[in-house]
Short mmCIF file of all heavy atoms in Angstrom, two decimals:
data_model
loop_
_atom_site.label_atom_id
_atom_site.label_comp_id
_atom_site.label_asym_id
_atom_site.label_seq_id
_atom_site.Cartn_x
_atom_site.Cartn_y
_atom_site.Cartn_z
N MET L 1 25.38 48.23 -15.73
CA MET L 1 26.15 47.03 -15.48
C MET L 1 27.23 47.34 -14.44
O MET L 1 27.31 46.70 -13.43
CB MET L 1 26.79 46.55 -16.77
CG MET L 1 27.62 45.32 -16.58
SD MET L 1 27.89 44.52 -18.14
CE MET L 1 29.57 44.08 -17.95
N GLY L 2 28.08 48.30 -14.71
CA GLY L 2 29.14 48.64 -13.77
C GLY L 2 29.01 50.07 -13.34
O GLY L 2 28.12 50.80 -13.77
N GLY L 3 29.92 50.47 -12.49
CA GLY L 3 29.89 51.83 -12.01
C GLY L 3 30.62 52.78 -12.95
O GLY L 3 31.38 52.38 -13.82
N TYR L 4 30.31 54.06 -12.79
CA TYR L 4 30.92 55.09 -13.61
C TYR L 4 31.44 56.20 -12.70
O TYR L 4 30.87 56.47 -11.65
CB TYR L 4 29.91 55.70 -14.59
CG TYR L 4 29.49 54.77 -15.69
CD1 TYR L 4 28.35 53.97 -15.57
CD2 TYR L 4 30.23 54.67 -16.86
CE1 TYR L 4 27.96 53.12 -16.57
CE2 TYR L 4 29.85 53.82 -17.87
CZ TYR L 4 28.71 53.04 -17.72
OH TYR L 4 28.34 52.19 -18.74
N PHE L 5 32.52 56.82 -13.12
CA PHE L 5 33.03 58.01 -12.46
C PHE L 5 32.88 59.17 -13.42
O PHE L 5 32.99 59.02 -14.64
CB PHE L 5 34.51 57.86 -12.09
CG PHE L 5 34.75 56.97 -10.90
CD1 PHE L 5 35.11 55.65 -11.06
CD2 PHE L 5 34.62 57.48 -9.63
CE1 PHE L 5 35.34 54.84 -9.98
CE2 PHE L 5 34.85 56.67 -8.52
CZ PHE L 5 35.21 55.34 -8.69
N ASN L 6 32.66 60.35 -12.86
CA ASN L 6 32.55 61.54 -13.67
C ASN L 6 33.92 62.24 -13.65
O ASN L 6 34.31 62.82 -12.64
CB ASN L 6 31.46 62.45 -13.11
CG ASN L 6 31.11 63.57 -14.06
OD1 ASN L 6 31.60 63.61 -15.19
ND2 ASN L 6 30.27 64.48 -13.60
N ILE L 7 34.66 62.15 -14.76
CA ILE L 7 36.00 62.73 -14.84
C ILE L 7 36.00 63.74 -15.98
O ILE L 7 35.73 63.39 -17.13
CB ILE L 7 37.07 61.64 -15.07
CG1 ILE L 7 37.07 60.65 -13.90
CG2 ILE L 7 38.44 62.27 -15.26
CD1 ILE L 7 38.00 59.49 -14.07
N ALA L 8 36.32 64.98 -15.67
CA ALA L 8 36.36 66.07 -16.63
C ALA L 8 35.05 66.18 -17.39
O ALA L 8 35.02 66.42 -18.60
CB ALA L 8 37.53 65.90 -17.60
N GLY L 9 33.94 65.98 -16.69
CA GLY L 9 32.63 66.14 -17.30
C GLY L 9 32.18 64.96 -18.15
O GLY L 9 31.16 65.04 -18.81
N ARG L 10 32.95 63.88 -18.15
CA ARG L 10 32.57 62.70 -18.95
C ARG L 10 32.42 61.50 -18.04
O ARG L 10 33.11 61.37 -17.04
CB ARG L 10 33.64 62.41 -20.00
CG ARG L 10 33.85 63.61 -20.93
CD ARG L 10 34.75 63.27 -22.03
NE ARG L 10 34.01 62.42 -22.96
CZ ARG L 10 34.51 61.94 -24.09
NH1 ARG L 10 35.74 62.20 -24.41
NH2 ARG L 10 33.78 61.20 -24.88
N LYS L 11 31.54 60.59 -18.42
CA LYS L 11 31.37 59.36 -17.66
C LYS L 11 32.44 58.37 -18.11
O LYS L 11 32.58 58.09 -19.29
CB LYS L 11 29.99 58.77 -17.93
CG LYS L 11 28.88 59.50 -17.21
CD LYS L 11 27.48 59.05 -17.56
CE LYS L 11 27.28 57.58 -17.57
NZ LYS L 11 25.88 57.18 -17.80
N VAL L 12 33.20 57.85 -17.15
CA VAL L 12 34.25 56.88 -17.43
C VAL L 12 33.94 55.62 -16.63
O VAL L 12 33.78 55.68 -15.41
CB VAL L 12 35.64 57.43 -17.05
CG1 VAL L 12 36.72 56.41 -17.33
CG2 VAL L 12 35.92 58.73 -17.79
N ALA L 13 33.87 54.49 -17.33
CA ALA L 13 33.56 53.23 -16.67
C ALA L 13 34.71 52.80 -15.77
O ALA L 13 35.89 53.05 -16.07
CB ALA L 13 33.27 52.16 -17.71
N THR L 14 34.38 52.12 -14.68
CA THR L 14 35.41 51.70 -13.74
C THR L 14 36.37 50.70 -14.37
O THR L 14 37.56 50.73 -14.06
CB THR L 14 34.77 51.07 -12.49
OG1 THR L 14 33.89 50.03 -12.90
CG2 THR L 14 34.00 52.10 -11.69
N HIS L 15 35.89 49.85 -15.25
CA HIS L 15 36.81 48.88 -15.86
C HIS L 15 37.80 49.57 -16.79
O HIS L 15 38.92 49.09 -16.96
CB HIS L 15 36.04 47.76 -16.58
CG HIS L 15 35.19 48.19 -17.72
ND1 HIS L 15 33.92 48.68 -17.55
CD2 HIS L 15 35.44 48.23 -19.05
CE1 HIS L 15 33.41 48.98 -18.73
NE2 HIS L 15 34.31 48.73 -19.66
N HIS L 16 37.44 50.71 -17.37
CA HIS L 16 38.40 51.46 -18.18
C HIS L 16 39.48 52.08 -17.29
O HIS L 16 40.65 52.16 -17.69
CB HIS L 16 37.70 52.55 -18.99
CG HIS L 16 36.89 52.00 -20.13
ND1 HIS L 16 35.91 52.73 -20.74
CD2 HIS L 16 36.92 50.80 -20.75
CE1 HIS L 16 35.37 52.01 -21.69
NE2 HIS L 16 35.97 50.82 -21.71
N LEU L 17 39.08 52.54 -16.12
CA LEU L 17 40.06 53.08 -15.17
C LEU L 17 41.03 51.98 -14.73
O LEU L 17 42.24 52.22 -14.64
CB LEU L 17 39.37 53.68 -13.95
CG LEU L 17 38.57 54.96 -14.20
CD1 LEU L 17 37.81 55.35 -12.94
CD2 LEU L 17 39.48 56.06 -14.64
N VAL L 18 40.52 50.79 -14.47
CA VAL L 18 41.38 49.68 -14.05
C VAL L 18 42.36 49.32 -15.16
O VAL L 18 43.55 49.12 -14.90
CB VAL L 18 40.51 48.46 -13.65
CG1 VAL L 18 41.38 47.22 -13.47
CG2 VAL L 18 39.73 48.76 -12.39
N LEU L 19 41.87 49.25 -16.39
CA LEU L 19 42.76 48.94 -17.51
C LEU L 19 43.83 50.01 -17.68
O LEU L 19 44.99 49.71 -17.99
CB LEU L 19 41.97 48.77 -18.80
CG LEU L 19 41.08 47.53 -18.87
CD1 LEU L 19 40.23 47.56 -20.14
CD2 LEU L 19 41.92 46.28 -18.83
N GLY L 20 43.47 51.27 -17.48
CA GLY L 20 44.45 52.34 -17.57
C GLY L 20 45.51 52.25 -16.49
O GLY L 20 46.70 52.47 -16.74
N VAL L 21 45.10 51.90 -15.27
CA VAL L 21 46.06 51.76 -14.17
C VAL L 21 47.00 50.60 -14.44
O VAL L 21 48.23 50.71 -14.26
CB VAL L 21 45.32 51.58 -12.84
CG1 VAL L 21 46.26 51.15 -11.73
CG2 VAL L 21 44.62 52.88 -12.45
N LEU L 22 46.45 49.46 -14.88
CA LEU L 22 47.30 48.30 -15.17
C LEU L 22 48.27 48.59 -16.32
O LEU L 22 49.44 48.19 -16.27
CB LEU L 22 46.44 47.08 -15.51
CG LEU L 22 45.65 46.50 -14.33
CD1 LEU L 22 44.77 45.36 -14.81
CD2 LEU L 22 46.58 46.05 -13.24
N ALA L 23 47.82 49.30 -17.34
CA ALA L 23 48.71 49.67 -18.44
C ALA L 23 49.81 50.61 -17.94
O ALA L 23 50.97 50.49 -18.34
CB ALA L 23 47.92 50.32 -19.56
N GLY L 24 49.46 51.52 -17.06
CA GLY L 24 50.45 52.44 -16.49
C GLY L 24 51.51 51.69 -15.68
O GLY L 24 52.70 51.99 -15.77
N TYR L 25 51.08 50.70 -14.91
CA TYR L 25 52.04 49.88 -14.17
C TYR L 25 52.96 49.13 -15.13
O TYR L 25 54.16 49.04 -14.91
CB TYR L 25 51.32 48.86 -13.28
CG TYR L 25 50.78 49.42 -11.98
CD1 TYR L 25 49.58 48.97 -11.47
CD2 TYR L 25 51.47 50.39 -11.27
CE1 TYR L 25 49.08 49.47 -10.28
CE2 TYR L 25 50.97 50.90 -10.08
CZ TYR L 25 49.78 50.43 -9.59
OH TYR L 25 49.30 50.92 -8.42
N GLY L 26 52.39 48.59 -16.19
CA GLY L 26 53.20 47.86 -17.16
C GLY L 26 54.24 48.74 -17.81
O GLY L 26 55.40 48.35 -17.96
N VAL L 27 53.85 49.93 -18.20
CA VAL L 27 54.79 50.87 -18.82
C VAL L 27 55.87 51.28 -17.84
O VAL L 27 57.06 51.37 -18.19
CB VAL L 27 54.04 52.10 -19.37
CG1 VAL L 27 54.98 53.21 -19.77
CG2 VAL L 27 53.16 51.69 -20.55
N ALA L 28 55.49 51.52 -16.59
CA ALA L 28 56.47 51.93 -15.57
C ALA L 28 57.48 50.81 -15.30
O ALA L 28 58.68 51.07 -15.18
CB ALA L 28 55.76 52.32 -14.29
N ILE L 29 57.00 49.58 -15.23
CA ILE L 29 57.91 48.46 -14.99
C ILE L 29 58.84 48.27 -16.18
O ILE L 29 60.05 48.05 -16.02
CB ILE L 29 57.11 47.18 -14.70
CG1 ILE L 29 56.45 47.30 -13.33
CG2 ILE L 29 57.99 45.94 -14.76
CD1 ILE L 29 55.45 46.20 -13.03
N LYS L 30 58.32 48.37 -17.39
CA LYS L 30 59.14 48.22 -18.59
C LYS L 30 60.22 49.31 -18.64
O LYS L 30 61.36 49.06 -19.01
CB LYS L 30 58.25 48.28 -19.83
CG LYS L 30 58.95 48.20 -21.13
CD LYS L 30 59.55 46.84 -21.35
CE LYS L 30 60.14 46.77 -22.74
NZ LYS L 30 60.95 45.60 -22.94
N ALA L 31 59.87 50.53 -18.26
CA ALA L 31 60.83 51.63 -18.28
C ALA L 31 61.89 51.46 -17.18
O ALA L 31 63.03 51.90 -17.36
CB ALA L 31 60.10 52.96 -18.11
N ALA L 32 61.51 50.83 -16.07
CA ALA L 32 62.44 50.70 -14.95
C ALA L 32 63.44 49.56 -15.15
O ALA L 32 64.52 49.58 -14.58
CB ALA L 32 61.67 50.47 -13.66
N LEU L 33 63.09 48.57 -15.96
CA LEU L 33 63.99 47.44 -16.17
C LEU L 33 65.16 47.84 -17.05
O LEU L 33 64.97 48.60 -18.02
CB LEU L 33 63.24 46.28 -16.83
CG LEU L 33 62.18 45.60 -15.98
CD1 LEU L 33 61.45 44.53 -16.80
CD2 LEU L 33 62.81 44.97 -14.76
N PRO L 34 66.35 47.35 -16.75
CA PRO L 34 67.49 47.68 -17.61
C PRO L 34 67.37 46.98 -18.95
O PRO L 34 66.85 45.87 -19.05
CB PRO L 34 68.69 47.15 -16.82
CG PRO L 34 68.13 46.08 -15.96
CD PRO L 34 66.72 46.50 -15.64
N SER L 35 67.82 47.66 -19.98
CA SER L 35 67.77 47.06 -21.31
C SER L 35 68.90 46.04 -21.44
O SER L 35 69.97 46.19 -20.88
CB SER L 35 67.90 48.12 -22.39
OG SER L 35 69.15 48.76 -22.29
N THR L 36 68.64 44.98 -22.18
CA THR L 36 69.63 43.94 -22.37
C THR L 36 70.24 44.04 -23.75
O THR L 36 69.59 44.47 -24.70
CB THR L 36 69.01 42.54 -22.19
OG1 THR L 36 67.94 42.39 -23.12
CG2 THR L 36 68.46 42.37 -20.79
N ASP L 37 71.48 43.63 -23.85
CA ASP L 37 72.19 43.66 -25.13
C ASP L 37 71.95 42.32 -25.83
O ASP L 37 72.40 41.28 -25.39
CB ASP L 37 73.68 43.88 -24.90
CG ASP L 37 74.45 44.05 -26.19
OD1 ASP L 37 73.81 44.26 -27.24
OD2 ASP L 37 75.69 43.98 -26.15
N LYS L 38 71.21 42.36 -26.94
CA LYS L 38 70.86 41.14 -27.65
C LYS L 38 72.00 40.62 -28.52
O LYS L 38 71.97 39.49 -28.98
CB LYS L 38 69.63 41.39 -28.53
CG LYS L 38 68.45 41.93 -27.79
CD LYS L 38 67.49 40.86 -27.46
CE LYS L 38 66.24 41.48 -26.90
NZ LYS L 38 65.73 40.90 -25.77
N THR L 39 73.01 41.44 -28.76
CA THR L 39 74.10 41.02 -29.65
C THR L 39 75.18 40.24 -28.92
O THR L 39 76.04 39.66 -29.55
CB THR L 39 74.74 42.24 -30.32
OG1 THR L 39 75.27 43.10 -29.31
CG2 THR L 39 73.72 43.00 -31.16
N LYS L 40 75.13 40.24 -27.60
CA LYS L 40 76.15 39.56 -26.82
C LYS L 40 75.90 38.05 -26.85
O LYS L 40 74.79 37.59 -26.63
CB LYS L 40 76.09 40.05 -25.38
CG LYS L 40 77.39 40.03 -24.67
CD LYS L 40 77.21 40.61 -23.28
CE LYS L 40 78.44 41.36 -22.89
NZ LYS L 40 78.36 41.85 -21.53
N SER L 41 76.93 37.28 -27.15
CA SER L 41 76.79 35.83 -27.16
C SER L 41 77.45 35.25 -25.92
O SER L 41 78.33 35.86 -25.32
CB SER L 41 77.45 35.25 -28.42
OG SER L 41 78.81 35.53 -28.43
N PRO L 42 77.03 34.06 -25.52
CA PRO L 42 77.63 33.45 -24.33
C PRO L 42 79.08 33.08 -24.60
O PRO L 42 79.49 32.89 -25.75
CB PRO L 42 76.77 32.21 -24.09
CG PRO L 42 76.12 31.93 -25.39
CD PRO L 42 75.99 33.25 -26.10
N PRO L 43 79.88 32.95 -23.56
CA PRO L 43 81.29 32.61 -23.76
C PRO L 43 81.44 31.19 -24.31
O PRO L 43 80.62 30.31 -24.05
CB PRO L 43 81.89 32.71 -22.35
CG PRO L 43 80.74 32.54 -21.44
CD PRO L 43 79.55 33.10 -22.15
N ILE L 44 82.49 30.99 -25.07
CA ILE L 44 82.78 29.68 -25.65
C ILE L 44 83.73 28.96 -24.71
O ILE L 44 84.85 29.39 -24.49
CB ILE L 44 83.41 29.83 -27.05
CG1 ILE L 44 82.45 30.57 -27.97
CG2 ILE L 44 83.78 28.48 -27.61
CD1 ILE L 44 83.05 30.96 -29.29
N ASN L 45 83.27 27.86 -24.14
CA ASN L 45 84.09 27.06 -23.23
C ASN L 45 84.68 25.90 -24.02
O ASN L 45 84.10 24.81 -24.08
CB ASN L 45 83.26 26.54 -22.06
CG ASN L 45 82.75 27.67 -21.18
OD1 ASN L 45 83.43 28.68 -21.04
ND2 ASN L 45 81.59 27.50 -20.61
N ALA L 46 85.82 26.13 -24.64
CA ALA L 46 86.46 25.11 -25.46
C ALA L 46 87.57 24.43 -24.67
O ALA L 46 88.18 25.01 -23.77
CB ALA L 46 87.02 25.74 -26.72
N ALA L 47 87.84 23.18 -25.06
CA ALA L 47 88.90 22.42 -24.40
C ALA L 47 90.28 22.93 -24.81
O ALA L 47 91.23 22.85 -24.05
CB ALA L 47 88.76 20.94 -24.73
N SER L 48 90.39 23.45 -26.05
CA SER L 48 91.68 23.96 -26.51
C SER L 48 91.45 25.27 -27.28
O SER L 48 90.33 25.60 -27.66
CB SER L 48 92.36 22.94 -27.42
OG SER L 48 91.62 22.79 -28.61
N GLN L 49 92.52 26.00 -27.51
CA GLN L 49 92.45 27.25 -28.26
C GLN L 49 92.01 26.98 -29.70
O GLN L 49 91.24 27.75 -30.27
CB GLN L 49 93.82 27.94 -28.25
CG GLN L 49 93.85 29.26 -28.99
CD GLN L 49 92.96 30.32 -28.34
OE1 GLN L 49 92.77 30.31 -27.13
NE2 GLN L 49 92.42 31.21 -29.13
N GLU L 50 92.46 25.89 -30.26
CA GLU L 50 92.11 25.53 -31.64
C GLU L 50 90.60 25.29 -31.77
O GLU L 50 89.97 25.75 -32.72
CB GLU L 50 92.87 24.25 -32.03
CG GLU L 50 92.92 23.97 -33.51
CD GLU L 50 93.84 22.79 -33.77
OE1 GLU L 50 95.07 22.99 -33.77
OE2 GLU L 50 93.30 21.69 -33.97
N GLU L 51 90.04 24.60 -30.80
CA GLU L 51 88.60 24.34 -30.81
C GLU L 51 87.81 25.65 -30.67
O GLU L 51 86.80 25.87 -31.34
CB GLU L 51 88.23 23.37 -29.69
CG GLU L 51 86.76 22.99 -29.66
CD GLU L 51 86.43 22.07 -28.50
OE1 GLU L 51 87.33 21.74 -27.70
OE2 GLU L 51 85.26 21.69 -28.40
N GLY L 52 88.28 26.53 -29.80
CA GLY L 52 87.63 27.82 -29.61
C GLY L 52 87.66 28.65 -30.87
O GLY L 52 86.67 29.29 -31.23
N ASP L 53 88.80 28.65 -31.57
CA ASP L 53 88.90 29.40 -32.84
C ASP L 53 87.95 28.82 -33.88
O ASP L 53 87.32 29.56 -34.64
CB ASP L 53 90.34 29.37 -33.37
CG ASP L 53 91.29 30.15 -32.49
OD1 ASP L 53 90.81 31.02 -31.72
OD2 ASP L 53 92.51 29.90 -32.57
N PHE L 54 87.84 27.48 -33.93
CA PHE L 54 86.95 26.84 -34.90
C PHE L 54 85.50 27.25 -34.65
O PHE L 54 84.78 27.61 -35.58
CB PHE L 54 87.09 25.31 -34.83
CG PHE L 54 86.08 24.60 -35.66
CD1 PHE L 54 86.24 24.51 -37.04
CD2 PHE L 54 84.97 24.01 -35.08
CE1 PHE L 54 85.31 23.86 -37.82
CE2 PHE L 54 84.03 23.36 -35.86
CZ PHE L 54 84.21 23.28 -37.23
N VAL L 55 85.08 27.21 -33.38
CA VAL L 55 83.70 27.57 -33.05
C VAL L 55 83.43 29.04 -33.36
O VAL L 55 82.39 29.39 -33.92
CB VAL L 55 83.41 27.24 -31.57
CG1 VAL L 55 82.05 27.77 -31.15
CG2 VAL L 55 83.49 25.75 -31.33
N ALA L 56 84.38 29.91 -33.03
CA ALA L 56 84.20 31.34 -33.29
C ALA L 56 84.10 31.60 -34.80
O ALA L 56 83.23 32.37 -35.25
CB ALA L 56 85.36 32.13 -32.70
N ASN L 57 84.95 30.97 -35.60
CA ASN L 57 84.89 31.15 -37.05
C ASN L 57 83.60 30.59 -37.62
O ASN L 57 83.01 31.18 -38.53
CB ASN L 57 86.09 30.48 -37.73
CG ASN L 57 87.37 31.24 -37.47
OD1 ASN L 57 87.35 32.44 -37.22
ND2 ASN L 57 88.49 30.53 -37.51
N PHE L 58 83.14 29.46 -37.09
CA PHE L 58 81.88 28.88 -37.56
C PHE L 58 80.71 29.81 -37.27
O PHE L 58 79.86 30.04 -38.13
CB PHE L 58 81.65 27.51 -36.89
CG PHE L 58 80.34 26.89 -37.26
CD1 PHE L 58 80.16 26.31 -38.49
CD2 PHE L 58 79.28 26.91 -36.36
CE1 PHE L 58 78.95 25.75 -38.84
CE2 PHE L 58 78.07 26.35 -36.70
CZ PHE L 58 77.90 25.77 -37.94
N LEU L 59 80.67 30.38 -36.06
CA LEU L 59 79.59 31.30 -35.71
C LEU L 59 79.62 32.55 -36.58
O LEU L 59 78.57 33.05 -37.00
CB LEU L 59 79.67 31.67 -34.23
CG LEU L 59 79.34 30.54 -33.25
CD1 LEU L 59 79.57 31.01 -31.82
CD2 LEU L 59 77.93 30.05 -33.43
N LYS L 60 80.81 33.07 -36.87
CA LYS L 60 80.92 34.23 -37.75
C LYS L 60 80.41 33.91 -39.15
O LYS L 60 79.72 34.72 -39.77
CB LYS L 60 82.37 34.71 -37.83
CG LYS L 60 82.83 35.44 -36.60
CD LYS L 60 84.27 35.88 -36.74
CE LYS L 60 84.81 36.44 -35.44
NZ LYS L 60 86.22 36.79 -35.54
N SER L 61 80.73 32.72 -39.66
CA SER L 61 80.27 32.37 -41.01
C SER L 61 78.76 32.20 -41.05
O SER L 61 78.10 32.58 -42.02
CB SER L 61 80.96 31.10 -41.50
OG SER L 61 80.57 29.98 -40.73
N VAL L 62 78.18 31.64 -39.98
CA VAL L 62 76.73 31.47 -39.94
C VAL L 62 76.04 32.84 -39.87
O VAL L 62 75.05 33.07 -40.55
CB VAL L 62 76.32 30.58 -38.74
CG1 VAL L 62 74.83 30.62 -38.51
CG2 VAL L 62 76.79 29.15 -38.95
N GLU L 63 76.56 33.75 -39.05
CA GLU L 63 75.99 35.09 -38.96
C GLU L 63 76.09 35.82 -40.29
O GLU L 63 75.16 36.52 -40.71
CB GLU L 63 76.68 35.89 -37.86
CG GLU L 63 76.32 35.45 -36.47
CD GLU L 63 77.10 36.19 -35.41
OE1 GLU L 63 77.90 37.09 -35.75
OE2 GLU L 63 76.91 35.87 -34.22
N ALA L 64 77.22 35.68 -40.98
CA ALA L 64 77.39 36.33 -42.28
C ALA L 64 76.38 35.77 -43.28
O ALA L 64 75.81 36.52 -44.08
CB ALA L 64 78.82 36.13 -42.78
N GLU L 65 76.16 34.47 -43.24
CA GLU L 65 75.20 33.85 -44.16
C GLU L 65 73.78 34.31 -43.85
O GLU L 65 73.00 34.59 -44.77
CB GLU L 65 75.29 32.33 -44.04
CG GLU L 65 74.47 31.59 -45.07
CD GLU L 65 74.69 30.10 -44.97
OE1 GLU L 65 75.85 29.67 -44.86
OE2 GLU L 65 73.68 29.38 -44.99
N GLU L 66 73.44 34.43 -42.57
CA GLU L 66 72.10 34.90 -42.19
C GLU L 66 71.90 36.35 -42.63
O GLU L 66 70.83 36.70 -43.13
CB GLU L 66 71.91 34.79 -40.68
CG GLU L 66 71.68 33.38 -40.19
CD GLU L 66 71.53 33.32 -38.69
OE1 GLU L 66 71.72 34.34 -38.00
OE2 GLU L 66 71.25 32.22 -38.19
N ASN L 67 72.91 37.19 -42.46
CA ASN L 67 72.80 38.59 -42.88
C ASN L 67 72.68 38.68 -44.40
O ASN L 67 71.97 39.54 -44.91
CB ASN L 67 74.01 39.39 -42.39
CG ASN L 67 73.96 39.61 -40.90
OD1 ASN L 67 72.90 39.54 -40.28
ND2 ASN L 67 75.10 39.87 -40.30
N LYS L 68 73.37 37.80 -45.12
CA LYS L 68 73.30 37.80 -46.57
C LYS L 68 71.89 37.39 -47.02
O LYS L 68 71.34 37.97 -47.97
CB LYS L 68 74.33 36.85 -47.14
CG LYS L 68 74.45 36.88 -48.65
CD LYS L 68 75.57 35.97 -49.10
CE LYS L 68 74.94 34.76 -49.77
NZ LYS L 68 75.90 33.82 -50.29
N ASN L 69 71.29 36.44 -46.34
CA ASN L 69 69.96 35.97 -46.71
C ASN L 69 68.87 36.96 -46.35
O ASN L 69 67.82 36.98 -46.96
CB ASN L 69 69.67 34.62 -46.04
CG ASN L 69 70.51 33.50 -46.62
OD1 ASN L 69 71.00 33.59 -47.74
ND2 ASN L 69 70.68 32.44 -45.84
N LYS L 70 69.10 37.79 -45.33
CA LYS L 70 68.11 38.80 -44.93
C LYS L 70 67.98 39.90 -45.98
O LYS L 70 66.92 40.43 -46.20
CB LYS L 70 68.48 39.43 -43.59
CG LYS L 70 68.17 38.54 -42.41
CD LYS L 70 68.49 39.28 -41.12
CE LYS L 70 68.24 38.39 -39.93
NZ LYS L 70 68.55 39.09 -38.67
N HIS L 71 69.08 40.26 -46.61
CA HIS L 71 69.07 41.38 -47.53
C HIS L 71 68.87 40.93 -48.92
O HIS L 71 68.68 40.26 -49.60
CB HIS L 71 70.38 42.16 -47.47
CG HIS L 71 70.60 42.77 -46.11
ND1 HIS L 71 69.84 43.81 -45.63
CD2 HIS L 71 71.45 42.46 -45.13
CE1 HIS L 71 70.26 44.12 -44.44
NE2 HIS L 71 71.23 43.31 -44.09
#
């Protein structure tokens, strides 16, 4: 059906070589990309300090509740 290469005394199909090259590219790209911090939240753009404090406290309470439900 397809072609074969003789590598280290074994027949290796060309489509296996292509899949190996593509996987190698994927791993190299993943390793080269900077890791992102998933715990960072976007800034709170509140109209007043009071509103900002309310939103921050609400988010903390929701996170605490989620952590409590996970365990």
Side-chain angles (χ1 to χ4, degrees):
M1 179 162 139
Y4 291 93
F5 285 98
N6 192 6
I7 299 176
R10 302 187 74 179
K11 284 173 46 175
V12 179
T14 54
H15 62 276
H16 288 161
L17 291 174
V18 169
L19 290 174
V21 168
L22 291 176
Y25 281 144
V27 168
I29 290 171
K30 177 69 175 168
L33 292 176
S35 63
T36 58
D37 186 14
K38 305 261 188 226
T39 60
K40 210 177 215 184
S41 62
I44 300 171
N45 295 327
S48 67
Q49 181 65 30
E50 196 173 281
E51 182 182 1
D53 292 340
F54 173 77
V55 172
N57 288 334
F58 176 76
L59 290 176
K60 285 180 188 176
S61 66
V62 169
E63 287 176 2
E65 187 175 315
E66 285 178 354
N67 288 339
K68 186 176 109 178
N69 291 337
K70 283 183 182 180
H71 297 290

